[in-house]
Amino acid sequence: MRPRSAFAAAAFLVLGALAGPSFADGRACVRANVEEPFLLPDGSWHEAGLLRICLDRTYSPSAALHTIQAAEGTAGTFLSRRGVSEAPAAAAAPRILFARGPSRTLRLMGYAVAQGERTRIYWIRQR
């Protein structure tokens, strides 16, 4: 039998149809219209529609806090692990990353956005 870890079983899907970075209450945000139901990292189920992720603050050099809002309202505050992509920021548009597991359900994994000369990646922690 093959291993069944979350990453081994997941097919990754990157949504490129983002409206780009936006600012809400002075916070940097990314948003996308998700065309099918999805799960947030806390396991909550959300209908298709607008998804907005805002960076609230840097928690530590390797972590940040985010507010995630689904179409029906605020879903909550989430902790992320921060990283840097090798892709040049000039060529990188904001991206939201989902994994599709064996049940075919989309699960939010994180997002990437250009910050200065780098592309910052935020991996939203799963509970």
Side-chain angles (χ1 to χ4, degrees):
M1 288 180 64
R2 298 187 321 203
R4 290 198 171 255
S5 72
F7 290 106
F12 290 100
L13 170 70
V14 177
L15 294 180
L18 298 176
S22 64
F23 296 91
D25 303 323
R27 299 177 298 167
C29 303
V30 294
R31 64 179 186 231
N33 188 29
V34 183
E35 296 181 0
E36 59 185 276
F38 58 94
L39 289 172
L40 289 181
D42 64 356
S44 62
W45 179 262
H46 297 274
E47 293 298 323
L50 184 66
L51 172 66
R52 186 174 77 174
I53 306 171
C54 295
L55 173 62
D56 292 328
R57 71 181 179 98
T58 299
Y59 184 72
S60 74
S62 62
L65 291 173
H66 307 268
T67 298
I68 299 177
Q69 183 178 10
E72 65 274 359
T74 300
T77 301
F78 295 83
L79 186 64
S80 72
R81 182 175 35 112
R82 296 179 349 149
V84 178
S85 171
E86 293 179 14
R95 299 279 188 250
I96 296 178
L97 179 68
F98 289 88
R100 188 181 298 279
S103 67
R104 308 291 302 151
T105 302
L106 288 181
R107 178 179 289 275
L108 176 67
M109 300 301 289
Y111 72 100
V113 64
Q115 290 182 342
E117 295 181 11
R118 296 182 157 185
T119 299
R120 180 73 62 187
I121 301 170
Y122 296 96
W123 295 106
I124 309 292
R125 294 191 188 253
Q126 308 293 311
R127 289 187 186 171

